[in-house]
Amino acid sequence: MNSDKKNNTRRRGQFSAVVQNQETFGSEYQAITMALTGSGVQTFSKARPGQFLQIACRDLKEPRNCSPLLRRPFSIAAVNKSDNGSNTEVQVIYKVLGPGTKWLELRTAGEEIDIIGPLGNGFTLPENKQDYIIMVGGGVGMPPMFFLSDELAKQGYQNNIAIAGAQGGHYFDGILTPETKIHDTATPTMSLDKFSCNKTGCIITTDDGSLGFNGNVAEALDEFLDQQQSWQKATIYACGPGPMLKAIAKLARKRQMTCQVCMEAYMSCGIGLCQSCAVATTNGDKKYKLVCTHGPVFDSKTIAWDEL
């Protein structure tokens, strides 16, 4: 029997979420926090880092307004819950790219948003809480790392660092820890608020060299591992654009390190019906798996990176 049925709990659900606040995050992104209450909220309170939700970016109470028709997927950046789990707040961080995210940007406190989640699978944490953990996020791939950092802190993992990359230093405007020196080498510092609040050092990287390490996250990780031999057996968790994940997976394979990647993909339903988010895997006969249900988190060795 399915354990969820046995425990009389749901793996996912459809909820009406009330906007609590919305604020800019860096120079290019928005962070929206939504509150869920009532029956079934415990489902969301058990969400795992790496999972996502689907948002209807329109008013479902207006049947004539059916644009955008399809829901939009967003990684979960944070989950805050009351002690008894009856009240849960969920945060997503997004960039305005089209009519769906533009609609979301215009939502204000008190408005309701229809969401489905939590969806997909999440990261698997090491059994030993003394193990070394490296979180790697690029651009909009950072939110799952924020959620993972929170969970690691709650569960007592202490040997953690993060690497956060962007095209330019302006991305980090307003989200850096004040008066913290950011090195231009692969040296973690308490530089990024979302990580420093969990006592996690972070290496900032920029493609244009305007802030921190001059280069991409894979290059920074490679240099860090060259300098820190004790981290060679760390578990790597990564989320970001396909080329970034491919580079991280290649590095992990070269150094024989465990690596879990949170994949991004265009998807319509988020629950495995439309088959639009298939990704090639290396399972013998080159089977395809769905990012929305088999993922979005995969062991990096199981992805056929050359097929992307």
Side-chain angles (χ1 to χ4, degrees):
M1 180 183 292
N2 185 294
S3 61
D4 293 322
K5 293 181 180 179
K6 188 184 298 183
N7 297 327
N8 198 29
T9 58
R10 294 180 292 172
R11 292 186 298 111
R12 61 177 181 244
Q14 183 174 3
F15 301 94
S16 179
V18 179
V19 177
Q20 300 300 289
N21 61 69
Q22 183 153 207
E23 57 190 359
T24 58
F25 187 86
S27 63
E28 298 183 5
Y29 294 83
Q30 294 287 120
I32 185 169
T33 302
M34 301 165 286
L36 298 84
T37 58
S39 175
V41 171
Q42 289 82 356
T43 301
F44 237 109
S45 69
K46 296 177 182 178
R48 296 164 56 198
Q51 291 188 291
F52 67 100
L53 52 82
Q54 292 272 95
I55 296 180
C57 293
R58 59 187 174 92
D59 187 355
L60 297 183
K61 297 177 182 178
E62 294 291 338
R64 294 184 179 180
N65 178 17
C66 56
S67 179
L69 177 62
L70 301 176
R71 292 176 182 266
R72 299 293 189 263
F74 297 91
S75 296
I76 300 173
V79 173
N80 298 307
K81 55 191 175 184
S82 59
D83 292 338
N84 62 8
S86 61
N87 295 288
T88 301
E89 288 188 348
V90 178
Q91 184 184 70
V92 299
I93 297 172
Y94 65 96
K95 185 175 183 177
V96 177
L97 294 173
T101 45
K102 184 61 180 179
W103 179 91
L104 190 61
E105 182 190 33
L106 297 176
R107 298 312 97 198
T108 58
E111 292 190 76
E112 293 186 0
I113 295 177
D114 191 271
I115 68 174
I116 295 177
L119 299 171
N121 66 359
F123 292 114
T124 300
L125 304 185
E127 292 184 5
N128 188 346
K129 294 186 178 181
Q130 301 304 313
D131 282 2
Y132 291 90
I133 293 173
I134 302 173
M135 295 168 278
V136 185
V140 77
M142 286 189 217
M145 298 300 108
F146 299 151
F147 189 10
L148 178 58
S149 177
D150 289 342
E151 191 64 25
L152 292 172
K154 290 176 184 176
Q155 294 197 31
Y157 292 85
Q158 297 181 352
N159 299 315
N160 319 315
I161 69 159
I163 303 176
Q167 292 181 340
H170 64 279
Y171 170 92
F172 299 99
D173 289 348
I175 60 175
L176 297 174
T177 306
E179 301 178 1
T180 297
K181 178 176 174 56
I182 299 175
H183 297 281
D184 57 6
T185 59
T187 304
T189 61
M190 296 296 174
S191 52
L192 192 54
D193 281 345
K194 285 283 191 177
F195 293 124
S196 64
C197 67
N198 293 322
K199 298 181 180 179
T200 297
C202 180
I203 300 170
I204 299 291
T205 80
T206 51
D207 294 343
D208 62 7
S210 57
L211 183 69
F213 182 90
N214 185 357
N216 60 47
V217 291
E219 292 168 335
L221 175 57
D222 205 24
E223 181 173 313
F224 172 79
L225 292 171
D226 282 342
Q227 298 170 354
Q228 304 291 336
Q229 294 299 313
S230 61
W231 287 77
Q232 293 291 330
K233 294 184 178 181
T235 299
I236 302 171
Y237 298 91
C239 185
M244 183 206 106
L245 294 182
K246 181 177 181 179
I248 295 294
K250 180 179 179 180
L251 184 153
R253 182 178 291 274
K254 179 184 73 172
R255 292 182 175 269
Q256 297 182 318
M257 299 176 70
T258 300
C259 177
Q260 297 176 36
V261 294
C262 185
M263 305 284 289
E264 297 178 349
Y266 290 106
M267 59 182 72
S268 300
C269 69
I271 55 175
L273 298 177
C274 68
Q275 308 281 301
S276 65
C277 60
V279 60
T281 66
T282 57
N283 293 351
D285 55 356
K286 196 171 288 185
K287 293 181 178 179
Y288 284 81
K289 291 192 175 182
L290 301 178
V291 172
C292 67
T293 53
H294 300 117
V297 175
F298 296 92
D299 183 323
S300 65
K301 296 190 297 294
T302 67
I303 301 299
W305 296 104
D306 290 338
E307 299 292 319
L308 294 180

